């Protein structure tokens, strides 16, 4: 792959490495230069630095998808659809996290693969067979010896985290029956560019896929997208329904062509679009900084809401620290009481809807705006204000 660099997001920490007070004193945090490139040949967009997966996905991984109603609903709806439309015999979920998807299925019909041991233990305790390993050919072979026919593989917000795509798809091909279906969902590059959500780029997100890049990738492994769904989750995602080339059971849905056309119309096939995006990021950074400095000049109290991994990119790029944002509220047990990577802003346990904790609240988990605004309607009714950076920095 020959990546042409188009975006420089400066020095960034590992987005899910929360620090204790002791860690702060030891000053041991490592920063990595986060740059993003575009491969004109495959149309693939990737961060340029290679960080070992073992460092990022360990036994202390904090992120839990089940803490959001939006994600629980999304997985439940998909499970219903999968059962109705495909009625699979046996499913593997790669990156099963804390079980938000697999818990919708019979324990005999699904297994999880999850390298973060603390997360894998959650689904094991729920009674689901879970392999606490990274997804690779060795594991695929091991599983295939035990389960004969696997006709569905599902991976949500996982493939974008794995550097070695050859290994990913060869292992899937090995395990998936000829009539089997692979469903992948990940943030959509088109949506990311449209709303300038540059925070989709952080060290865990090695790739941000478009249908263009996904299609060209899959060709190499004799796989094909036959349907696609636009999702509002994680700030705009794409769900790809994929089959083996040799499987003629499914016609290619017209939505595939429509999405491709939209991506080409937007210019995702041209490097110039990437340069434009980089300029948009710079403007977004300047505008957000201007909002914060104006509010601080007027001695306003600002706190953050939702210490998402994505926020690290914003805070580091815009150089926002605890002088500006007093603390972040978050519901994640493994984040509260700790300090955010990079900015070292404290994470406070969210207990109840906001009252008058601050004049302004920065929406870290902007992708859950609907869910959060619904929870905080009293605060909003009373005139409480939020700050967001998408689609452009503003107070709402
Ligand atoms: P959220 C993570 O990204 C990491 P993040 C990972 N790399 C990835 O790709 C996606 O997930 C799938 C909190 N919150 O989901 C919870 C509240 O406090 O956007 C989370 O800490 N109150 C695997 O971290 C954060 O906000 C709420 O009401 O960017 C949201 O993080 C809600 C809804 C969330 O993913």
């Amino acid at each position: 792959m020959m990546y042409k660099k188009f975006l420089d997001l400066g020095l960034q920490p590992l987005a899910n490495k929360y620090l204790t007070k002791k860690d702060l004193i030891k000053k041991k945090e490592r920063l990595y230069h986060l740059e993003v490139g575009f491969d004109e040949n495959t149309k693939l967009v990737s961060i340029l630095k290679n960080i070992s997966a073992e460092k990022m996905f360990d036994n202390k991984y904090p992120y839990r998808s089940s803490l959001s109603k939006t994600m629980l609903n999304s997985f439940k709806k998909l499970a219903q659809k999968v059962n109705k439309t495909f009625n699979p015999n046996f499913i593997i979920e790669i990156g099963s996290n804390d079980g938000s998807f697999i818990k919708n299925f019979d324990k005999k019909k699904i297994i999880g693969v999850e390298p973060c041991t603390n997360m894998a233990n959650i689904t094991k305790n729920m009674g689901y067979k879970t392999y606490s390993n990274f997804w690779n050919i060795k594991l695929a072979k091991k599983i295939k010896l035990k389960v004969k026919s696997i006709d569905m593989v599902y991976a949500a917000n996982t493939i974008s985290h794995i550097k070695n795509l050859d290994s990913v798809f060869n292992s899937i091909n090995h395990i998936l029956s000829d009539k089997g279906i692979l469903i992948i969902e990940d943030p959509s590059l088109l949506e990311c560019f449209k709303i300038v959500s540059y925070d989709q780029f952080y060290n865990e997100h090695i790739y941000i896929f478009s249908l263009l890049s996904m299609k060209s990738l899959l060709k190499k492994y004799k796989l094909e997208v036959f349907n696609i769904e636009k999702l509002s989750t994680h700030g705009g995602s794409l769900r790809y329904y994929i089959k083996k080339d040799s499987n003629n059971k499914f016609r290619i849905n017209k939505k595939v062509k429509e999405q491709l056309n939209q991506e080409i119309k937007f210019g995702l096939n041209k490097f110039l679009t990437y340069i434009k995006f980089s300029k948009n990021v710079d403007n977004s950074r300047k505008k957000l900084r201007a909002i914060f400095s104006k509010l601080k000049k007027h001695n306003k109290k600002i706190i953050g809401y939702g210490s998402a991994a994505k926020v690290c990119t914003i805070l580091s790029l815009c150089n926002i620290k605890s002088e500006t944002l007093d603390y972040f509220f978050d519901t994640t047990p493994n984040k509260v009481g700790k300090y955010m990577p990079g900015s070292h802003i404290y994470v406070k346990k969210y207990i109840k809807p906001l009252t008058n904790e601050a004049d302004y609240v920065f929406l870290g988990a902007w992708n859950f705006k609907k869910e959060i605004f619904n929870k905080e309607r009293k605060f909003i009714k009373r005139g409480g204000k939020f700050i967001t950076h998408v689609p452009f920095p503003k107070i709402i």
Side-chain angles (χ1 to χ4, degrees):
M1 229 71 83
M2 286 280 292
Y3 292 108
K4 270 169 97 174
K5 185 180 121 181
F6 66 88
L7 183 62
D8 186 340
L9 293 164
L11 287 177
Q12 298 279 352
L14 298 185
N16 267 308
K17 290 277 173 233
Y18 285 77
L19 298 108
T20 60
K21 210 168 206 159
K22 257 192 190 161
D23 295 332
L24 279 190
I25 296 164
K26 278 197 236 150
K27 289 189 176 161
K28 260 184 142 177
E29 187 176 48
R30 205 175 143 189
L31 302 176
Y32 302 83
H33 193 181
L34 188 65
E35 296 175 299
V36 192
F38 171 63
D39 177 57
E40 284 190 307
N41 196 20
T42 57
K43 316 294 176 217
L44 198 56
V45 166
S46 173
I47 63 167
L48 302 180
K49 200 155 212 106
N50 191 7
I51 297 157
S52 97
E54 284 80 3
K55 254 191 198 142
M56 293 189 279
F57 308 108
D58 56 12
N59 57 358
K60 289 196 185 74
Y61 197 70
Y63 173 75
R64 297 187 59 165
S65 51
S66 70
L67 295 178
S68 147
K69 278 189 190 147
T70 312
M71 290 317 292
L72 285 176
N73 284 341
S74 173
F75 290 130
K76 193 175 176 182
K77 255 174 79 187
L78 176 65
Q80 284 163 350
K81 185 176 170 171
V82 153
N83 278 334
K84 210 172 137 203
T85 321
F86 305 111
N87 192 23
N89 284 317
F90 203 89
I91 311 171
I92 290 190
E93 188 187 10
I94 309 173
S96 45
N97 192 255
D98 66 349
S100 311
F101 178 68
I102 66 175
K103 74 173 182 195
N104 296 295
F105 293 89
D106 187 322
K107 295 186 177 69
K108 286 190 234 77
K109 276 187 75 167
I110 191 161
I111 53 176
V113 174
E114 175 52 64
C116 304
T117 342
N118 58 334
M119 293 298 137
N121 285 340
I122 297 175
T123 50
K124 280 182 191 171
N125 288 336
M126 282 157 63
Y128 286 92
K129 172 86 187 155
T130 312
Y131 288 88
S132 184
N133 297 82
F134 285 98
W135 176 249
N136 55 31
I137 192 72
K138 199 172 150 202
L139 180 65
K141 282 185 175 161
K142 186 173 162 186
I143 296 175
K144 209 182 168 184
L145 284 179
K146 297 201 172 140
V147 193
K148 267 192 215 117
S149 171
I150 294 161
D151 52 2
M152 180 159 288
V153 175
Y154 177 57
N157 299 298
T158 302
I159 307 301
S160 54
H161 296 66
I162 313 178
K163 171 84 184 160
N164 189 341
L165 295 172
D166 270 339
S167 157
V168 166
F169 290 110
N170 286 330
S171 312
I172 289 174
N173 256 339
H174 180 78
I175 214 161
L176 191 66
S177 69
D178 287 346
K179 296 267 176 273
I181 289 157
L182 162 65
I183 304 177
I184 293 178
E185 63 185 72
D186 272 302
S188 153
L189 187 72
L190 181 62
E191 293 311 308
C192 165
F193 273 30
K194 274 185 181 167
I195 61 172
V196 201
S197 52
Y198 60 88
D199 50 327
Q200 292 289 8
F201 295 104
Y202 53 92
N203 285 308
E204 284 179 20
H205 278 177
I206 298 172
Y207 305 103
I208 301 293
F209 298 116
S210 56
L211 175 60
L212 269 171
S213 62
M214 186 59 84
K215 227 176 116 71
S216 81
L217 252 176
L218 294 176
K219 213 172 157 190
K220 193 170 159 195
Y221 310 100
K222 298 193 166 48
L223 293 165
E224 191 176 24
V225 178
F226 68 91
N227 202 356
I228 197 154
E229 270 168 24
K230 281 188 187 181
L231 307 175
S232 57
T233 52
H234 287 295
S237 299
L238 283 178
R239 181 179 284 151
Y240 309 87
Y241 292 81
I242 299 160
K243 63 173 188 67
K244 292 193 173 176
D245 275 359
S246 55
N247 179 358
N248 297 320
K249 197 176 152 203
F250 301 100
R251 300 245 312 268
I252 313 285
N253 192 293
K254 65 174 192 307
K255 281 194 275 177
V256 175
K257 185 96 198 154
E258 281 166 13
Q259 176 70 23
L260 268 184
N261 287 344
Q262 282 170 29
E263 291 184 356
I264 290 168
K265 199 171 159 204
F266 190 86
L268 288 188
N269 52 342
K270 292 190 198 116
F271 189 62
L272 189 66
T273 311
Y274 293 79
I275 298 293
K276 267 191 215 154
F277 173 71
S278 169
K279 285 184 185 143
N280 291 342
V281 173
D282 204 41
N283 284 333
S284 177
R285 176 185 66 84
K286 284 179 190 149
K287 272 191 196 142
L288 188 66
R289 279 185 59 85
I291 290 176
F292 279 123
S293 38
K294 194 170 165 195
L295 294 177
K296 284 323 271 185
K297 232 183 237 161
H298 291 92
N299 285 323
K300 298 293 180 196
K301 181 174 175 184
I302 317 171
I303 61 168
Y305 196 115
S307 171
K310 296 183 289 293
V311 179
C312 278
T313 301
I314 309 170
L315 301 182
S316 296
L317 185 75
C318 302
N319 198 17
I320 296 164
K321 296 207 161 73
S322 50
E323 296 86 49
T324 308
L325 278 172
D326 290 28
Y327 58 85
F328 263 79
F329 267 133
D330 200 284
T331 50
T332 316
N334 287 345
K335 294 182 182 177
V336 300
K338 295 191 182 129
Y339 297 84
M340 292 171 75
S343 65
H344 301 169
I345 295 174
Y346 187 66
V347 185
K348 248 192 187 179
K349 184 175 180 173
Y350 175 91
I351 301 172
K352 56 174 183 42
L354 299 172
T355 47
N356 54 357
E357 289 81 354
D359 303 306
Y360 292 84
V361 180
F362 176 59
L363 205 48
W366 57 270
N367 43 313
F368 295 115
K369 187 173 145 193
K370 243 189 189 167
E371 183 175 336
I372 291 170
F373 277 22
N374 188 29
K375 226 189 291 187
E376 306 303 342
R377 52 190 183 274
K378 278 194 183 147
F379 173 74
I380 295 168
K381 228 177 172 179
R382 269 196 234 117
K385 295 282 178 213
F386 282 88
I387 305 166
T388 186
H389 79 297
V390 290
F392 52 86
K394 62 181 173 183
I395 292 169
I396 39 177

